Amino acid sequence: MTDSVDVAAFAGIAGSLAREVGEVIRAKRAVGVTVAQTKSSLTDVVTAADQEAERLLAAGLRRLRPDDGLLGEEGASTTGTTGVTWVVDPIDGTVNYLYDLPAYAVSVAATVEDGGPGTMSDGRRAVAGAVYVPTSGELFTAWEGGGAHLDGERLPGPADTELGRTLLATGFGYTVERRTEQVEVLRHVLPRVRDIRRMGSAAVDLCMLAAGRVDAYYERGLQPWDYAAAALIARESGAVVRGLGDALPGEELLIAGTPRISAELATLIEEAYRGL
Ligand code: LIP
């Protein structure tokens, strides 16, 4: 599939749209943000800015790639005719955005469903993607085989440290049931690592991993728009992105890090789930 598409050009489209829309939401944040609705729980919020940002991303992709498909967190869903589907998260880290905390991002990925390397459990694999962090102005990009970049500079990927010195990013779901389970897993994992960081955006977490600012990441319950672009950025930086056992990474579990650390984390998390 990707032989017939220019993945570097796709990364350019993703990057320019992510930055353009990221600047719009940053300006909106400065004048105030309101909750428009809630989703899976009272704490799973959608702001008017999320909805506007997704409209802008959809309009930009219709203009630039009118025959591609589109899947967005806030409801955008169109079937294309090219085999390429753009998967977008207009604001990943919505609660941070609502509270005016810095870790939020616009995520844009071009994906295909050909079962190739990097396919996630939702059946898609990103061939190009971008994550823009408006509060830092950092634009993370990657395309298949092209490496991962931050503002054009190659990203180093995660350090290969031992588990006890691993700075581990993670996140938690929005429902009481999921959070109750996640705290039990964390109770098993936290004593075995350097420390954890809960930044509030999977896209930011995986880009921090690609930049070597955290050593590993895991989370359960992510949606394709949370990880589509950033999982590719992590992979292209040299990280392994995996699930538990032979499972594909995705909603069930996503683990990312060096080959050794991601394998040790998978063992630790499997132990934790067996003990639940
Ligand atoms: C967020 C994820 C984050 C997770 C949060 C939330 P949203 O996505 O990026 O990793 O821990 O609970 O799901 O809801 O801000 O798009």
Side-chain angles (χ1 to χ4, degrees):
M1 170 63 68
T2 48
D3 297 342
S4 61
V5 297
D6 181 349
V7 289
F10 278 15
I13 290 171
S16 60
L17 284 176
R19 188 196 300 275
E20 177 189 328
V21 173
E23 287 305 301
V24 169
I25 65 167
R26 187 166 63 94
K28 286 178 178 292
R29 176 56 267 183
V31 297
V33 171
T34 55
V35 174
Q37 65 185 77
T38 58
K39 296 187 287 189
S40 64
S41 72
L42 287 177
T43 56
D44 185 0
V45 296
V46 182
T47 70
D50 288 90
Q51 295 168 330
E52 174 62 9
E54 186 156 301
R55 280 194 290 274
L56 291 171
L57 289 172
L61 289 166
R62 271 197 305 275
R63 183 176 77 254
L64 295 168
R65 294 288 304 180
D67 298 325
D68 292 352
L70 173 63
L71 173 66
E73 177 172 19
E74 307 315 340
S77 176
T78 55
T79 303
T81 58
T82 62
V84 175
T85 299
W86 293 83
V87 179
V88 301
D89 194 336
I91 303 178
D92 188 57
T94 294
V95 174
N96 285 345
Y97 182 72
L98 181 66
Y99 280 76
D100 200 9
L101 292 169
Y104 60 88
V106 178
S107 177
V108 181
T111 70
V112 296
E113 293 179 70
D114 62 2
T119 296
M120 307 292 281
S121 61
D122 62 280
R124 297 182 185 85
R125 70 184 181 96
V127 294
V131 172
Y132 180 67
V133 183
T135 51
S136 67
E138 292 177 314
L139 179 63
F140 297 84
T141 57
W143 63 86
E144 188 181 52
H149 296 82
L150 166 55
D151 297 333
E153 293 296 318
R154 193 89 181 223
L155 286 168
D160 192 29
T161 180
E162 66 267 9
L163 196 60
R165 293 177 58 192
T166 293
L167 188 60
L168 176 61
T170 190
F172 309 113
Y174 286 115
T175 64
V176 170
E177 298 73 20
R178 174 58 52 85
R179 294 168 75 81
T180 302
E181 165 205 286
Q182 287 172 322
V183 80
E184 287 309 311
V185 174
L186 185 64
R187 194 172 58 79
H188 189 74
V189 170
L190 182 57
R192 303 285 300 277
V193 297
R194 174 195 289 266
D195 203 347
I196 70 136
R197 292 292 182 270
R198 197 289 195 248
M199 289 181 267
S201 161
V204 171
D205 288 328
L206 283 162
C207 287
M208 294 303 103
L209 179 85
R213 300 177 190 170
V214 295
D215 301 312
Y217 168 69
Y218 81 95
E219 188 158 353
R220 185 175 190 182
L222 297 177
Q223 297 303 308
W225 41 77
D226 294 325
Y227 59 67
L232 175 69
I233 291 165
R235 275 202 180 91
E236 284 295 325
S237 79
V240 164
V241 178
R242 57 169 291 174
L244 282 185
D246 295 331
L248 292 176
E251 182 171 8
E252 186 60 21
L253 196 69
L254 188 153
I255 301 170
T258 63
R260 182 162 62 93
I261 288 296
S262 55
E264 289 185 28
L265 257 182
T267 301
L268 203 52
I269 293 167
E270 277 167 340
E271 288 169 1
Y273 274 108
R274 276 201 298 272
L276 294 186

